[in-house]
Structure formats: structure tokens, C-alpha cells
Amino acid sequence: MKFWIKFFFLIITLSAYAQKNKKANFVRERQKLSDGWRFMRYTGQSDNLIYEVRPKIEEVNDSKVADSKPTEAVKIENHNEALKPWILPSGNDFIKEPANKHIRPKANPGADFPFVKPDFQDSKWEKVTIPHDWAIKQAFFTGNNPEVGGGMGRLPSHGVAWYRRKLTIPKADSGKNIYLDIDGAMSYAMIWLNGNLVGGWPYGYNSFRLDLTPYINYGGVNQLAIRLDNPNYSARWYPGGGIYRNVWLTKTSPVHVAQWGTFITTTEVSEKEAKIDLKLNIENRGKFTQSIEVKTQIFELDEAGNMSKTEIAAFPTEKFIVASQKNYADQSTIILKNPKLWGPYPTQKPNLYLARTIIYQKGKVIDTYDTQFGIRKIEFNPIKGLIVNGEAIRLQGVNQHHDLGALGSAFNISAAQRQLDILRELGCNAIRMAHNPPATELLDLTDRMGFLVIDEIFDSWERKKTPHDFHLIFADWHEPDTRSFIRRDRNHPSIFAWSFGNEVGEQYTENEGAKIAKKLHDIVREEDPTRPASASQNYAKPDMPFTKEMDFLSLNYQGEGIRDAPAYLHLKGIRTSPLYPAFQKAFPEKMIISSETASALSTRGSYLFPVTNENSAPVSDNKGGNPITAEVSAYELYTAQFGSSPDKVFATQDRHPYVAGEFVWTGWDYLGEPTPYYSARSSYSGIIDLAGFKKDRFYLYQARWRPNLPIVHILPHWNWPNRIGEITPVHVFTTGDEAELFVNGQSLGRKKKNEFEYRIRWDEVKYFPGEIKVISYKNGKKWAEETVKTTDKASKIIATTDQTTIKADGEDLAFITVKITDINGLVIPDASNIINFSLEGPGEIVATDNGDPTNLVKFTSTTREAYHGLALVIVRAKKGRSGKLKVRMTADDLEKYEIEILSK
């Protein structure tokens, strides 16, 4: 009788299990968690839920020269109450050796803390949308001893803060695995669900996943609580603060493609055919061994990212068994005929494909995973440089930090697209991600737009640059950070090389530093053997052991020489003669890239006198720099102490044509690191200012990078009421080979660009109101012409927008350029009128700016002073609200202006 009772209940149990799984939809879901968040940042003392004790701040020099020698770490004692032992296991999937994996302690720290409990009332906390930067809307710190200095942007990005959000998980999801995917949180993230400490990730730039499944209340409300702790003195630039990239809730079958579990590589590539290899990692997080079938199809993607209706190829369908709590790695290969190759703009087309991996169980789809990729052949040639699909591509690159100007570090696709659009207009074809992993959406853009990318992960290793930077967690986290970084990004065809360090202090420690370099290099190559890996060197020389560990030579400033030109000889610091020949002689088999060049400095529209006769000179007070206004001359000849002007860089690279190209420091100005004036908020090094307005240097680079574009550009402006009769040099940037200058109709002669010269100078011009005109010539024929006039008084406002229609999704943005002009529509180059902005309709003004590094008015202000005649206003439509947005601009004594943007 007992047997039949047991059998009866077994049948009922199996029937219930079958019904539950029959109702469950095991196809992968991915939900963006943008809305519904509550936020609180401590204004005073915070809680004790610390990751680890940090060293005390003894002394900080916010404005020390950027190439100063990093120093040894300060040793600290472990803290018994720190939560580090519970957080370390979050990286276990990215630690190779089982013996090095971390065992989680049994306790549940923080369970009694009010903020992690479901019944805590957070209604008085601020409502925020993710991505979110808690500092960017706040007031700047001012004065000589600010709490946060100019190096980190004078904004309150430091401190401890909490985010809370409720998650409703239906009963139908019972049996699924539920993951929290965070693309970036600054920093020391620790996550609780329903009062349980799930895990975390300290490094603020890395993406990470946590398994929420054991803590889920299926069929009910789940309380998510995230604690961030962003230390002051932790960066050399503005890091931002908060959950500043997207957050996702991912639901899968227990058997599914693992996190970043595909790796597609292309070899033996030609226009006729390409060999495509697929490495696949499938994991089984269920209780039972499962028999599955896996199929991967390939589809074409059009320029908008739309997938073709039919597959163009497929990998062989395979059947295999995955044991419970185990991973299964598989590899397969196909030959694709007549592939459409991915290549850099403008000479090639960035064609993309999508691989769709489908897992079946008993004929039913239980997981679908998409991977975008490109087919291309890349070669590193020590003489010809980078060769893509058989074409030698000169690297015309820039370095980019992660912030988006007035929007801060909170990632926004419209703002990132705008940055890349203007860089493409410049002639830029390559980006170095300085000095950390970017948002994945940025790499999607570089894939689609055809930019080449060096993807970089660390600015420091064991030795510190700032007291609280990555060196504090390097020992514990360098392996999981590096492996997860590579796995996340390695399918992007725009990435042609990896960088695992930038100007690290280990360059100075001989064999000890080289040993660490080798360890990181080997981790990178284990994860991706198809791309070379390097770390940038501003100190290590050809005969040093550090250099030998690099697959290619990534040089910061050393190729052009550091502090070696006549104007720099009085400076202290690293001093290096141009070293391209020495590196090439020592490593004739390795390609050389100049990973940071120039570090030229200027403030848009500011011209200071007298002008140096040198072709490159360091900024100092009253020599290219004004210590009172904190402006740097826009004649584009002045640099950081360790830098070189564009002219000097161009000449050095042209003398050494085997160098594969350059990455200029920087493409855009960025928040923080305002060398040489740390009373400011943002950098001076950009070719484009923080608001997105072009500096004069833009045209110098454009003339080099787009030689077939007919351009000529004159500087300075011609409004100098206090300089009548005084020498006011006129410089010209052109793609022509000679030019003639006219001042008030009188020719000052025709001049040619000599070899290794990149501008034409008339240094003895005297200013008188009127106009200056230049005509440039190429091969003896007229090529381009420009006129600059003395303007009338300010009369009106004119505005243009980069988009006349935006999506009403709460994310899409319109960037409106505002100009102060005279009656003839000429921009007043010295105008500083105060402009008031207002908006009517279903939208909002997100931020304003003017590109002035010294302007400490809050970015959210709707009143903004024009800077050299220009200002910027950024507008967003309200989510789900369509209609007309009317943006009005008014200023005293000027005609007002109104511009319309349609929200759809």
C-alpha cells in the first residue's frame, strides 16, 4: 500500500513539474532597468558597510604634472568588519586556477541595515533614471582648497550613495535564472536583494553580472539595494559618480549561453571567402544534466543595424550533454563565400553580421543569443604600419575620456554619436579608449561607423598615481577585471588592439615591473589570441625589460621627444630625445604606434600676445598662458610640459614613416585634469572644446588628415580695439601648398609651406580694423579662400540644432548651438552676453555650456554667458510625450531667437 501511495504522489509531483515547465517561457529576456529608482547620497558621515579600509590621505598635489613618477602603495591592515570576503567571489568566473577562486563566508552582512530591507520607506529619496551621474547637476567647488580639486573636475563625485528599486518577478519565471547585469557603476558596488548580500564589483569601469536567482521571491515584489562608495583622490580626471551606464535584468533557462559566451574570429580572409570560427560557452545552472541541440545562424546587418530576413550561412547543428553546474565549451568552423568585409571609414565600408545562437531542448527553443561581428583581416607591419584587408591605413586617432561634457559620465547614445560625428568630420579614423573600458554602446557605434579602436583597461597597477586609485585593489581584481573586459569586448571588429596599462609606475621597477606586465599580457592573449596587446610607455626605453613584454610598441610622447626642444630645456621631469629610431632598431619586428601625441593646450577663441617664435613651446604664465583668466593661447603652439605642438608631431612622424600613426591627446576636452590651471573644471587639450565647438586646432588636423578637402582657415579673429597698430600675427592652416594674405585689400605676399611645415605664418602683421583674406593654392591653382572681418556690435542671437526631430523616449537629445552675431550675421568673437534659455512644450532643458574651462556655473543653469560668441543648450523630450518643443533664447539688447524641435 505504501508503494502505491508513494507512486501516486510521484505522479502528481511530476505532472505539476511538467505543467509548470509547460507554462514557463524559457526564451531569454533582457529588460533595461532605467526607471523606478530611488537615490540617496550621504551628505555627512556614512554607514559602516565598507568594502575595505583605505589609507589615510597624507598629502595631495592636485596639479602635479601628468607624467610624474607613480609611487609605491601605502600598506594598510585588513579590517575584520570589511565586506571584501563576500564581494571577491563575484569575480570567480574570471579566475582561471580553481585554487585561486574565493570561498564566500556563510554570514550575511548588512542584513539588518534599514536600506536593504523591503519595508524601508524611501519615498523621500530622489527619483532618478539610470544611467545616472549624481555629481553632474551639482554646484562646482570653488576656491583654492576645494574638497574636490580641478583634477577630478571640482564636482562632488565622491562619497557614499544608495540606489533602491523594486523588481516584480512573476511566478511564471520560477525555474529561470535571473541575473542583474550592470554595465558600469562608480564605484565599489555592493548589491543586496531582499536583504541578502548578493555580491559586487569594485572597479567602476567594468561591466559585471550577479546571479539573483537564489534570493528571488517569485510571484512577489523583490527589493534591490545598491551601495556605491566613490572615494575622493581616486582619479586623475572626472570619474563621475553613480550607476552611470545601463542596468539590465536578464532571464534565462538554466541551460543557456554563458555571459559573453561567444567568440567569433575570422581568418584566411579575402574578398572571395573567409574562414569563420565560433567558440561557444554554454552553462547549466540547473539541478539536472541536460541533453541539448545548438544551432548558430549568420545574418547580414544593414547600415541601420537591421537583420536580413534570411540566413546567409549556418554553423553545423550539434547535440551534446551539459552536466549540472558545469560549462560546456564548443568550437566550430564554416567557410563563408563572398564575404562583405568590415573596414575603416572612409576608404572601406564597416559591414557587419549577426550570429544567432539557438539552444533547443526536446525540440523546444530554450535560449537565443545574438552576437554582432565583422569580417576583416588585420596585419601589424613594422614598416607599412596597420594593414586592414590589404590596405595600409594610417592611424589618424585621438584619445577620448569617458565623460560627455555637460552630461557628465552618464552614458547617452545621442551625445556619443555627436562626438564621433564631429571626429569623423575632422578626418579621425581611430579612437584610443583612455584609460578604461568604455560603454558597450560606444563600441557598437565605432563598429557601425568604421572607427578603429585601441581598447584599454588600466591607468595604474600596483604603484599609485593618486592615493585611492586602482592600485588598492589590483592584487585581488586584476585577473577578473582583465578577463571580463576582454570577453565583453572581443567580438567588436572595430577593436584592433588591446592595451592593459597606461604610463604605469612599473616602468620604473625593471624586472619586477616587467613580470607584472607579462602576467597581464598573458591573460589578455589567453582570452584573445587574435589581437596584439601592449601597454603605453612614457618612460620605459628600448633596452628596458618592460618593453620586451609588448606585442607592439605603444609610445606616449617619446617618439617626438619629451622636454627636448629649446623652449622646454629649463623644465624638470622626464627628458627624452626623439626615440622612434631607437625603438625601431631594437625591435625591427614590432609595429610602432604613438598612443599619445601632442598634449597641445588652448582655450577656444583666446589669443594671447606676444606669440612664440618657436614651433612648440610649453605654457607658462604670460607665455601662452594668462594666470589671471586661466586662458591658454589659441595660436595652437603651446603644450603641457611633456608635450609637443601638432606641428612638431607631424614633422617627427613624417621623418619616420614606419610609425603607424598617432592618437592625439585629446579629441575632445574632458572634465577634470585642467592642465595648466587647476582653478578650472575641465581640460585644455582637446581639438574640440567641452561644448563641442571646434578650436582652431581642428582645422590644423583636418588639413593633415583630409588632404583632398579644399580648406583654408585663418586665425586669429579680427576684433582688436585695444591693439590698433600693434603686431598681431596671422597664421593659416590649409590643405593647399601655398597662400596669399590680404589685409584690408593689400597683399602681404604669397608664401609656400616648406618641407616639414604645416602652417603658413605672417608674424609681423599690424592690426587695423577691416578684414583679412587668404587665398590658398594647390599645384599653382586656386584651392580655397576665407575672409575674417571686424564685426559690428552685437545685434542678435542665431541658433542651429543638430536634430530637428527627436524621439520621445527620454533619452534622445538635441544639441543647439547658439551664436551672438552682428546685423550681418557674423559671430562676435569677443561677445560674452548673458543668454537666458526657456522651453515650451513636452520637453526639458537638460544642460547648458559654453566651452570655457574656467566657467563654474552649474551645467543645469538656464542662464549661460556666451564664450567668444558661442553657447550650447541641450534639450530632451519627455518620455512618451510628442509635440513641438519651442526653445527660446533671450539676452539684453539683442533680438531674441526661437527654434522648434519636433518630438515623436
Side-chain angles (χ1 to χ4, degrees), residues 65 88 109 118 216 248 273 283 357 439 488 494 516 545 561 578 704 724:
V65 179
L88 287 172
I216 291 286
W248 309 85
E273 63 179 32
E283 62 184 11
T357 301
R488 189 197 75 166
S494 55
I516 298 172
R704 177 168 175 84
I724 294 174

Side-chain angles (χ1 to χ4, degrees), residues 529-583:
T530 70
R531 294 178 177 92
S534 190
S536 70
Q537 304 173 200
N538 68 323
Y539 175 78
K541 302 301 184 286
D543 59 345
M544 293 183 178
F546 187 93
T547 309
K548 297 174 183 177
E549 302 303 330
M550 308 301 149
D551 292 333
F552 64 96
L553 301 175
S554 180
L555 306 181
N556 286 7
Y557 311 106
Q558 293 201 79
E560 292 77 36
I562 300 174
R563 296 182 180 88
D564 72 310
Y568 299 78
L569 296 180
H570 65 287
L571 299 172
K572 295 180 180 179
I574 298 170
R575 192 178 309 281
T576 301
S577 58
L579 284 179
Y580 287 139
F583 277 102

Side-chain angles (χ1 to χ4, degrees), residues 800-813:
T800 56
T801 178
D802 70 332
Q803 293 193 94
T804 55
T805 302
I806 58 175
K807 295 187 287 291
D809 59 1
E811 297 180 14
D812 201 10
L813 301 174

Side-chain angles (χ1 to χ4, degrees), residues 26 91 101 189 248 258 269 419 447 509 654 700 870:
F26 278 130
K101 294 179 185 288
W248 309 85
V269 174
Q419 286 195 342
D447 287 346
T509 59
D654 285 347
L700 182 56
L870 300 179

